[in-house]
Amino acid sequence: KHATTLGNLLQQDGIYVSIARNPQEVQIAAARKLAWSSLLWLLCHSVGDEGEEPIPVKDVHQFKSNQLRKLVEEIVPSLETLASESWTNYKDEGSKTDHAEGDDFDASSSTTPSSLQSIGSV
């Protein structure tokens, strides 16, 4: 309800809005935002000499937008795959369980941490 109201306000100003329908979509969107912001930071700080000031964000968008887009396109599929995995490493209390790499466990018995359940119901 709140997400739709806010989305409508943003769209009135010409801002693209996509409302997540479930916690998995929230996790995927967060992974995409993390990729963009991390790669943007790296490009801002990809100056030649040590001690040089970082390149402003607007300059990265102006002069390195193709490089940024290609980097994001390369990393996002892997991030989306990871973000799409079920939240099997968490108990109701939100504490991480111990699963050794390669352990088989029943994903259907896992639940989303209660602190994150409210995100999907916005």
Side-chain angles (χ1 to χ4, degrees), residues 5 9 11 33 46 52 55 76 81 84 87 95 99 107 109:
T5 302
L9 285 172
Q11 286 175 337
K33 292 290 185 185
S46 63
E52 235 181 287
I55 301 166
V76 163
T81 299
S84 295
W87 298 1
S95 61
H99 293 292
S109 66

Side-chain angles (χ1 to χ4, degrees), residues 6 9-11 28 32 39 43 63:
L6 179 60
L9 285 172
L10 293 171
Q11 286 175 337
I28 290 170
R32 292 179 69 90
L39 293 168
L43 289 173
F63 301 112

Side-chain angles (χ1 to χ4, degrees), residues 34-83:
L34 181 61
W36 272 101
S37 62
S38 297
L39 293 168
L40 186 59
W41 185 92
L42 286 172
L43 289 173
C44 284
H45 289 81
S46 63
V47 292
D49 294 327
E50 190 175 325
E52 235 181 287
E53 288 295 315
I55 301 166
V57 170
K58 68 179 180 104
D59 288 351
V60 171
H61 281 291
Q62 184 176 357
F63 301 112
K64 295 186 176 192
S65 61
N66 285 337
Q67 186 179 6
L68 176 60
R69 185 182 37 76
K70 286 177 184 177
L71 288 168
V72 170
E73 287 174 359
E74 186 175 322
I75 197 169
V76 163
S78 297
L79 286 174
E80 285 181 348
T81 299
L82 289 171

Side-chain angles (χ1 to χ4, degrees), residues 61 65 90 96-97 109 116:
H61 281 291
S65 61
Y90 294 92
K96 195 166 174 87
T97 59
S109 66
L116 296 175

